[in-house]
Amino acid sequence: MSIQLMTLVRKSALPTNTKFVLMALADWADDNGVNCYPSIYELSEYMTCSERTVQRLLRELEEGGWIAVVGNANGGGSSRHYALNVSKLEAVAEVEHARREAEKERRRRDRKNDAANPFNQGCQFVTPVNLSPVTTATEGVTTVQQGVTTTTSRGDTGVTPSTIDPPKIHQRSVIGAEAPKNVKATGRATILPGDFWPNEAAEQMARDFGLSLADQLAAFQDHHSAKGSTFKDWQAAFRTWLRNSQRFGQRSTPMASSRHGQQGITHKHAAAYATILEA
């Protein structure tokens, strides 16, 4: 077990499942990234997934230059020997650490600025409408009263009181006031929020397309966090990601799907298309 390598893997921006299998290999390896030879079955038990999924993820790690097979490449009666690319893990961890620290600092400054801004809270003003004078008629006497609606008269004639309009409440917005919840917020593009979660429209879209919402969300977060993407509407960006995943997933050939796994191909094409949109 190498705690050092597991820490480096944790700091990477790999997709969830790919990061998990790389974490498992680091758990088997020494600090130099070698002496690592778990079987496919042991890795599947470690990750609680199928052996086919493990084989696909190992192939993706090998193609990405994260690991290399250094012994018993053909398998046979014993497990393959793997070596982890420690230099790449260290370089990626350093970049990701700098990015995350910069993001923490930006959020800290935003909270400080918000706390120092006296116009961040909404303000409600109540302005009564001037009431028209009401004339009260009595026998031989006429008086003017403010806000009085009772009229009296002698005899059998009934008088119906007039109605006075109630005061009106005016909502006046000030700088920094919170916008109504049913109004769509507009402004500059931001990076992906840490608490981002798809809305009901995106969840229904994932179900309609037959996609795993958890897998798609993990791939979407890893891709845009690694690239530092910015959007004005992240919900719309995620729905576009789902459409691209479904579209490219349908276009992939049966041979490619069986070799690489349908989900892996979809994520790669969706990520590539997202990069084109950002450019």
Side-chain angles (χ1 to χ4, degrees), residues 45-224:
E45 288 294 315
Y46 187 99
M47 297 178 59
T48 318
C49 65
S50 67
E51 295 183 31
R52 180 180 292 274
T53 298
V54 171
Q55 291 172 333
R56 174 176 59 82
L57 294 173
L58 288 173
R59 185 164 50 249
E60 291 178 0
L61 287 173
E62 188 175 356
E63 292 173 353
W66 296 94
I67 64 172
V69 178
V70 295
N72 196 25
N74 295 326
S78 59
S79 303
R80 292 182 174 184
H81 292 198
Y82 300 96
L84 279 67
N85 191 340
V86 179
S87 299
K88 184 170 184 175
L89 286 172
E90 291 174 343
V92 170
E94 184 176 355
V95 172
E96 282 299 305
H97 177 73
R99 182 190 64 79
R100 289 167 182 168
E101 289 301 315
E103 175 62 16
K104 289 180 182 179
E105 178 63 20
R106 185 193 66 79
R107 296 190 180 204
R108 185 192 66 79
R109 288 198 306 268
D110 288 347
R111 288 194 297 268
K112 184 177 180 180
N113 293 337
D114 290 343
N117 190 342
F119 299 105
N120 279 342
Q121 299 298 327
C123 184
Q124 188 180 59
F125 300 93
V126 179
T127 305
V129 177
N130 292 331
L131 302 178
S132 301
V134 179
T135 301
T136 302
T138 60
E139 185 177 17
V141 180
T142 301
T143 60
V144 177
Q145 299 180 355
Q146 193 76 5
V148 179
T149 60
T150 304
T151 302
T152 60
S153 178
R154 291 185 179 182
D156 297 332
T157 303
V159 179
T160 302
S162 60
T163 303
I164 299 177
D165 294 335
K168 296 181 180 180
I169 299 177
H170 301 279
Q171 180 74 32
R172 299 194 301 186
S173 61
V174 296
I175 299 175
E178 181 180 359
K181 293 183 178 180
N182 61 341
V183 178
K184 182 178 180 181
T186 60
R188 62 183 180 84
T190 62
I191 64 172
L192 180 64
D195 57 350
F196 174 81
W197 184 258
N199 56 21
E200 293 182 0
E203 293 179 352
Q204 183 61 45
M205 182 179 293
R207 288 192 293 268
D208 294 341
F209 290 164
L211 299 173
S212 169
L213 182 64
D215 288 346
Q216 294 295 328
L217 177 60
F220 177 82
Q221 290 173 327
D222 288 335
H223 171 76
H224 288 294

Side-chain angles (χ1 to χ4, degrees), residues 99 191-192 218-231 234 237-238 241 270-271 274-275 278:
R99 182 190 64 79
I191 64 172
L192 180 64
F220 177 82
Q221 290 173 327
D222 288 335
H223 171 76
H224 288 294
S225 295
K227 292 183 62 62
S229 305
T230 58
F231 285 99
W234 279 101
F238 183 69
W241 176 278
T275 302
E278 293 167 20

